């Protein structure tokens, strides 16, 4: 194993340290590059840059592998629960039964929102996108939970993390209730994390809500599949916001804003809208042709990934879950047939084969969420709910890293060089 790499730059020969992770590609340590050569590196979109070291999640995009703290996502999705995965991501290990009971209890004790927060919702238009409400309400948590805002205290960081994980279902469910004009439902802590979310979303005060165990399990699995994904755009946003010392609620609000975009978490909403627009199998070739056309901005939503150049392992589990949920609910959604046929056609098309474009986690999730009864606008809010644990785990890891510094990328400047100010009357 080599420990240095040679670089000749600016007339100097440098030995760059090579860093080795526990698995995955080696990394060149370029921290002293500017001091030694006066040069920066150029890497828009960070396609070749590791911004941190992390022991939480590992992805091998060529092999389609996703591990959380070493455990394959397929095993976690099949055999564990979202609460177990939250414990794993936050604390590094799967919980014992006793630890799981204590962790679930702690989370359940933080599910309620400050009553004053309910008045925030009333300031939004009824047709506001749930993600717009989530950005606003989660950011506003900083004003209500100032007692857990000391980021230098690990205990307070953990309380803030528990609060965020616990309150996101309440916040997301309230965004939905507000949009349809129904009363907000209080959390019921005798239900599971996921069952409680379903109750707050689909229950009404006039009736006792009965949680369907198949839907609860499917929803819990969807949460597991979205829980973390190493240094993706929204997680990097949370880390960057947190690197300045900003409070955790503000950092997670920043992550939510980033997740909203259609190239990231917004793809689940866009994917289902696209499948509905296609409508019937015979129209698929037209959309595949559009996706391949360089002059058409259209892309197959739910297809392709920066890191996976193979099947996204989350999409495999998601496709199985669609079948189970549709079967249990007795729903026959033509959109699922369109999705299966579109996947088949795209995966046998040279364009998608050459570019290694496969379905990602967002391709099938919308079909399940729609069958459960969520409107498309809620899809990305559900992603945000589930990703919160990943965000807080990564944020905690960053704050406790002794090498942590404020994130401050450099640039290749291409604007005008220095010139003198011209008085307004003299400008042409
Ligand atoms: N449909 C058609 N062509 C595509 C697609 C697509 N979905 N995705 C990538 N390509 C083409 C792209 O045009 C480019 O072609 P060329 O090399 O000829 O210019 C090539 O594949 C590489 O694409 P890129 O945009 O340079 O790759 P990227 O790593 O910057 O983008 C991506 C990754 C996920 C943003 C992109 O694949 C995409 O826009 N997919 C659709 C949106 C989507 O499903 N996003 C969810 C990602 S998974 C969940 C999450 O992260 O939130």
């Amino acid at each position: 194993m080599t420990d240095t790499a040679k670089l000749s730059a600016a007339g100097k020969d440098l030995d760059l340290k090579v860093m080795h992770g526990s698995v995955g590609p080696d990394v060149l340590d370029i921290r002293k590059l500017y001091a030694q050569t006066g040069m920066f590196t150029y890497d828009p979109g960070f396609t070749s840059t590791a911004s941190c070291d992390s022991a939480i999640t590992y992805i091998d995009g060529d092999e389609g592998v996703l591990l959380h703290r070493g455990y394959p996502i397929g095993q976690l999705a099949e055999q564990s629960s979202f609460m177990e995965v939250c414990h794993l991501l936050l604390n590094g290990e799967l919980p014992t039964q006793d630890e799981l009971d204590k962790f679930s209890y702690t989370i359940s004790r933080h599910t309620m929102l400050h009553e004053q927060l309910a008045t925030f919702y009333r300031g939004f238009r009824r047709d506001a996108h749930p993600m717009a409400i989530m950005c606003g309400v989660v950011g506003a948590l900083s004003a209500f939970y100032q007692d857990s805002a000391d980021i230098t205290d690990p205990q307070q960081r953990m309380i803030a993390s528990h609060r965020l994980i616990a309150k996101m279902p309440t916040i997301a469910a309230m965004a939905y209730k507000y949009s349809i004009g129904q009363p907000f439902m209080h959390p019921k802590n005798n239900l599971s994390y996921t069952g409680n979310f379903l109750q707050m979303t689909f229950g009404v005060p006039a009736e006792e809500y009965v949680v369907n165990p198949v839907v609860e399990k499917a929803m819990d699995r969807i949460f597991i599949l979205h829980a973390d994904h190493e240094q993706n755009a929204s997680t990097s946003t949370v880390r960057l916001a947190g690197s300045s010392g900003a409070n955790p609620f503000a950092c997670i609000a920043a992550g939510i804003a980033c997740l909203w975009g259609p190239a990231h978490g917004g793809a689940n909403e866009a994917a289902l809208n696209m499948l509905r627009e296609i409508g019937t199998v015979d129209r698929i070739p037209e959309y595949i042709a559009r996706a391949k056309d360089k002059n058409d901005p259209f892309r197959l939503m739910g297809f392709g990934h920066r890191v996976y150049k193979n099947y996204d392992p989350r999409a495999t589990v998601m496709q199985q879950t669609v079948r189970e949920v549709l079967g249990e609910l007795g729903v026959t959604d033509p959109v699922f047939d369109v999705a299966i046929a579109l996947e088949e056609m795209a995966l046998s098309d040279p364009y998608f084969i050459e570019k290694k474009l496969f379905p990602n986690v967002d391709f099938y999730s919308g079909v399940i969420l729609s069958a459960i009864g969520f409107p498309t606008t809620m899809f990305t809010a559900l992603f945000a709910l589930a990703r919160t644990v990943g965000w807080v785990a990564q944020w905690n890891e960053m704050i406790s890293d002794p090498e942590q510094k404020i994130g401050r990328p450099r640039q290749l400047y291409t604007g005008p060089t220095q010139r003198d100010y011209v008085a307004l009357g003299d400008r042409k």
Side-chain angles (χ1 to χ4, degrees):
M1 224 185 261
T2 42
D3 285 322
T4 55
K6 299 237 173 275
L7 175 77
S8 285
K12 291 187 185 137
D13 290 326
L14 298 183
D15 282 328
L16 297 178
K17 189 171 141 203
V18 177
M19 299 170 76
H20 312 288
S22 45
V23 59
D26 290 339
V27 167
L28 287 179
D29 181 349
I30 57 160
R31 276 174 289 186
K32 299 212 169 83
L33 189 71
Y34 178 61
Q36 292 178 344
T37 65
M39 293 168 93
F40 297 136
T41 54
Y42 182 67
D43 186 19
F46 306 110
T47 53
S48 296
T49 298
S51 59
C52 61
D53 62 67
S54 179
I56 301 175
T57 292
Y58 173 73
I59 302 174
D60 181 335
D62 295 322
E63 297 298 324
V65 170
L66 167 60
L67 309 177
H68 290 318
R69 304 279 191 189
Y71 296 102
I73 188 66
Q75 290 182 21
L76 292 172
E78 287 296 327
Q79 297 171 49
S80 78
S81 66
F82 184 61
M83 274 299 98
E84 277 190 66
V85 172
C86 286
H87 186 284
L88 175 68
L89 291 170
L90 263 185
N91 302 306
E93 293 299 336
L94 285 169
T96 61
Q97 185 64 55
D98 189 40
E99 285 166 341
L100 180 62
D101 292 345
K102 280 193 187 125
F103 182 73
S104 306
Y105 177 76
T106 303
I107 296 297
S108 74
R109 302 300 291 182
H110 286 294
T111 49
M112 283 170 64
L113 286 187
H114 191 290
E115 196 55 21
Q116 194 63 19
L117 263 168
T119 57
F120 258 65
Y121 283 78
R122 303 194 200 289
F124 288 102
R125 286 169 54 131
R126 291 274 174 189
D127 63 354
H129 195 286
M131 285 297 277
I133 298 183
M134 303 277 285
C135 288
V137 173
V138 174
L141 293 177
S142 343
F144 289 86
Y145 301 102
Q146 297 172 37
D147 56 325
S148 58
D150 178 4
I151 63 159
T152 60
D153 178 353
Q155 180 81 16
Q156 288 196 36
R157 286 208 301 273
M158 206 38 89
I159 295 172
S161 303
H162 292 158
R163 279 181 164 154
L164 277 155
I165 295 167
K167 292 182 198 306
M168 285 298 270
T170 316
I171 292 170
M174 284 170 72
Y176 173 64
K177 286 297 192 197
Y178 185 73
S179 73
I180 57 170
Q182 286 186 1
F184 297 142
M185 295 291 286
H186 288 301
K188 281 197 174 156
N189 292 343
N190 58 330
L191 297 174
S192 70
Y193 181 88
T194 305
N196 183 37
F197 172 62
L198 291 169
Q199 178 272 137
M200 288 188 289
T201 306
F202 298 118
V204 286
E207 284 170 17
E208 198 55 38
Y209 181 78
V210 181
V211 180
N212 176 330
V214 173
V215 172
E216 183 183 22
K217 184 155 185 287
M219 203 66 227
D220 202 72
R221 199 180 276 172
I222 292 172
F223 289 162
I224 293 174
L225 294 177
H226 288 90
D228 190 49
H229 214 226
E230 53 121 301
Q231 307 313 317
N232 57 86
S234 57
T235 302
S236 299
T237 302
V238 170
R239 279 186 177 255
L240 194 57
S243 76
S244 73
N247 75 71
F249 306 105
C251 295
I252 301 306
I256 294 172
C258 177
L259 187 76
W260 194 357
H264 193 7
N268 53 15
E269 180 178 349
L272 192 74
N273 288 338
M274 174 192 77
L275 292 171
R276 289 230 170 95
E277 190 184 305
I278 297 174
T280 49
V281 172
D282 59 303
R283 294 191 64 205
I284 293 173
E286 180 197 326
Y287 283 82
I288 291 200
R290 282 188 61 196
K292 289 158 53 175
D293 182 353
K294 281 267 154 262
N295 301 315
D296 187 333
F298 174 78
R299 284 186 168 199
L300 280 192
M301 299 315 285
F303 252 80
H305 198 274
R306 169 62 62 79
V307 183
Y308 293 119
K309 301 302 166 199
N310 199 326
Y311 216 95
D312 179 341
R314 301 168 301 172
T316 317
V317 183
M318 203 63 94
Q319 200 206 59
Q320 290 161 8
T321 313
V322 181
R323 289 186 200 280
E324 283 170 28
V325 170
L326 294 188
E328 163 65 20
L329 299 178
V331 174
T332 43
D333 190 341
V335 122
F336 184 50
D337 302 330
V338 174
I340 295 279
L342 176 58
E343 177 187 333
E344 246 175 57
M345 281 188 218
L347 292 187
S348 55
D349 188 295
Y351 174 94
F352 291 88
I353 295 170
E354 270 161 34
K355 295 189 190 298
K356 299 187 176 167
L357 299 170
F358 292 86
N360 59 49
V361 68
D362 291 322
F363 190 65
Y364 286 106
S365 61
V367 182
I368 311 178
L369 296 174
S370 166
I372 294 175
F374 291 100
T376 46
T377 52
M378 274 299 287
F379 294 177
T380 314
L382 302 179
F383 194 154
L385 183 172
R387 182 55 58 86
T388 296
V389 63
W391 289 331
V392 292
Q394 302 264 353
W395 170 80
N396 266 297
E397 184 183 63
M398 179 191 69
I399 302 287
S400 45
D401 181 350
E403 294 198 340
Q404 189 263 326
K405 282 175 183 299
I406 185 167
R408 183 24 174 120
R410 303 307 297 257
Q411 63 170 8
L412 174 67
Y413 177 69
T414 56
T417 52
Q418 184 170 330
R419 47 186 172 163
D420 288 329
Y421 179 80
V422 180
L424 191 57
D426 296 340
R427 283 179 220 158
K428 302 198 173 83

